[in-house]
Amino acid sequence: MTAAALTSRPPRRFYIETWGCQMNELDSQRMSGQLMQQGILPTREVAEADIILLNSCSVREKAAQKAYSRIGEYRLLKREKPDLLIGFCGCVAQQEGEKAVARVPDLDFVIGPARVGELQSVIAERRATRKPVIATGFPDAAARNYDMDLLARDGVFKGMVTIIEGCNKKCTFCIVPSTRGPEQSRPMAHVLAEVRHLLNYGFVEIELLGQTVNHWRDPETGADFAVLLDAVARLPGLRRLRFVTSYPRDFSPAMVEQFARHAEVISPYLHLPVQSGSNRILKWMGRGYEIELYYDLIARLRQARPDIALSTDLIVGFPGETDEDFQATLELVRNIRFGSLFAFKYSPRPGTAAPRLKLDPVPEAVADARLQELFQVQNDIQLEINRALVGQTFEVMVTHWGRDKGTQTGRTACHRLVHFPYGEAPVEMGSIKRVQVEQGLHHSLRGRLVA
Ligand code: SAM
């Protein structure tokens, strides 16, 4: 092919907008990889795109409304570019399915989270049939396409690896089981092969992913997550191992033991959503544990790894939540002293059980005030924790440029963000350097490089 032929047609471009959790981020990386393999390149300019994908999240408020309004904006671009393809992906897409095409007739395809591996064939079908394609539902793990070469990672140091998809829990507030389907664990051999593949390419940090990551079971041998952690942590070249999201009731003593056994590799960081500090509310939420179990688990984790930084998710304003219940949540936050926290105002999700419980709704203004109070309490705690780290030295994996000139940023093993000036020459990205903390801020640390 001549140079002229190569340049005669500009490459096709795709644009992806991603909302929501790490699972969605990874799904977007999987879709990008499939498009890039076909020579279609990413763009940050939506107007330049030949294919637009909205990877939606349905966990909170007005998700469908927001998604349709964004698709409405994208549709306008079709006036200028009739061949533009618009794909509705992610959890809202799974929920809406056929309805989405009925509502937006010029939508080209709808792909649920369990079908992201089929993007190439969905696009081919759309082009061949000229009809909208709907790929929703939940195939078995064995039928899902996890091709490692069809994944465009958005970094070269930290890689996410899905180990379990879907969720079998019955939390009354949560839509995830209906959008991501029942749990499907990937075989241990596949997970280990993918981690090895990343390590061979020079990745140093691995994050294992699942909605209930610690409920993973090897479909072939029945081995549990503690066994998998042990096997992954032993892989040569791995510097940091993290996993998200763990379910408190499924966190067995054997898993706590792995934290202690592989202290060199398993990061002293754990995201453990608790949702509420009140047993009444936990019961209505269908969480399947009482707060005493959570306190006990945290105590055992801290005993195993005194350096562990904990984070959690909390919902305020769940129906029936009294001021006393909310105080129990504040008490939990003050007692545990999480390193970081994600808090949300309850939002009824279509098809979930909570609205059917007929509990008294918490007035919007009360829920807003509780959320603000919770953030205030946590902010004060975070500042205290971060200030107490001044003078200590941490190993920081350097991954980004800082906002201020001459600075870079990275994360400690316990996932704290650290800013530092690099001095004469920048530090190699992906390397792990020692940084002494000089200042503790609300959400990050500032420090200096030390030998
Ligand atoms: N699988 C995880 C668990 O429950 O342990 C969480 C998955 S969900 C994607 C992330 C967080 O969103 C939840 O931990 C919860 O705090 C929040 N969330 C989920 N449903 C919600 C709702 N209906 N209203 C407000 N927050 C919600």
Side-chain angles (χ1 to χ4, degrees), residues 154-412:
D154 68 355
V156 290
F157 317 116
K158 302 180 189 189
M160 298 186 275
V161 175
T162 300
I163 66 163
I164 175 170
E165 292 199 83
C167 181
N168 289 351
K169 303 286 185 253
K170 296 200 164 41
C171 302
T172 59
F173 54 82
C174 194
I175 200 157
V176 169
S178 67
T179 59
R180 288 192 169 265
E183 282 179 358
Q184 296 271 347
S185 291
R186 287 179 71 194
M188 173 129 127
H190 293 197
V191 173
L192 292 178
E194 188 166 338
V195 176
R196 274 197 206 99
H197 171 83
L198 291 174
L199 298 176
N200 285 342
Y201 274 93
F203 282 73
V204 281
E205 178 170 318
I206 298 293
E207 188 173 32
L208 305 178
L209 291 191
Q211 286 298 334
T212 48
V213 75
N214 57 330
H215 204 237
W216 174 91
R217 286 253 170 205
D218 186 355
E220 280 147 21
T221 63
D224 75 356
F225 183 63
V227 176
L228 181 69
L229 267 184
D230 187 42
V232 176
R234 288 173 194 276
L235 293 176
L238 180 59
R239 299 288 299 270
R240 289 183 177 177
L241 174 59
R242 304 196 295 127
F243 47 93
V244 78
T245 298
S246 297
Y247 197 76
R249 198 188 58 206
D250 296 331
F251 214 99
S252 68
M255 294 171 200
V256 176
E257 216 173 274
Q258 296 305 330
F259 255 108
R261 174 171 306 156
H262 294 292
E264 290 293 312
V265 176
I266 300 182
S267 292
Y269 168 81
L270 187 64
H271 182 62
L272 201 56
V274 60
Q275 313 299 359
S276 170
S278 153
N279 279 338
R280 271 185 73 241
I281 298 298
L282 288 174
K283 190 161 175 224
W284 288 121
M285 286 178 164
R287 290 290 286 177
Y289 56 82
E290 297 200 325
I291 204 64
E292 291 71 21
L293 175 142
Y294 193 83
Y295 273 113
D296 175 61
L297 175 56
I298 299 287
R300 287 185 290 114
L301 283 161
R302 283 187 162 146
Q303 199 175 13
R305 287 295 289 274
D307 55 344
I308 200 164
L310 297 159
S311 76
T312 199
D313 288 345
L314 286 162
I315 295 177
V316 300
F318 186 79
E321 184 188 69
T322 61
D323 198 45
E324 206 178 308
D325 296 317
F326 176 61
Q327 291 307 322
T329 295
L330 287 182
E331 192 185 316
L332 173 87
V333 169
R334 290 195 182 100
N335 286 339
I336 305 262
R337 295 176 69 79
F338 296 99
S340 57
L341 175 159
F342 302 86
F344 314 99
K345 196 166 65 166
Y346 170 71
S347 131
R349 309 309 304 125
T352 53
R356 294 196 295 272
L357 296 173
K358 303 274 178 259
L359 297 161
D360 289 339
V362 173
E364 200 76 3
V366 173
D368 282 333
R370 286 181 186 164
L371 192 61
Q372 287 319 311
E373 189 177 351
L374 178 58
F375 282 137
Q376 190 54 55
V377 169
Q378 175 63 17
N379 269 350
D380 292 348
I381 292 172
Q382 259 172 240
L383 190 60
E384 278 169 24
I385 293 178
N386 289 347
R387 282 185 174 162
L389 300 176
V390 172
Q392 294 190 35
T393 298
F394 292 94
E395 294 205 325
V396 172
M397 189 200 293
V398 184
T399 49
H400 289 88
W401 299 108
R403 235 177 285 144
D404 299 335
K405 199 163 177 266
T407 64
Q408 285 175 281
T409 67
R411 297 261 176 191
T412 63

Side-chain angles (χ1 to χ4, degrees), residues 138-151:
F138 311 108
D140 286 350
R144 298 184 191 190
N145 182 2
Y146 290 107
D147 190 335
M148 294 178 252
D149 294 322
L150 290 181
L151 213 167

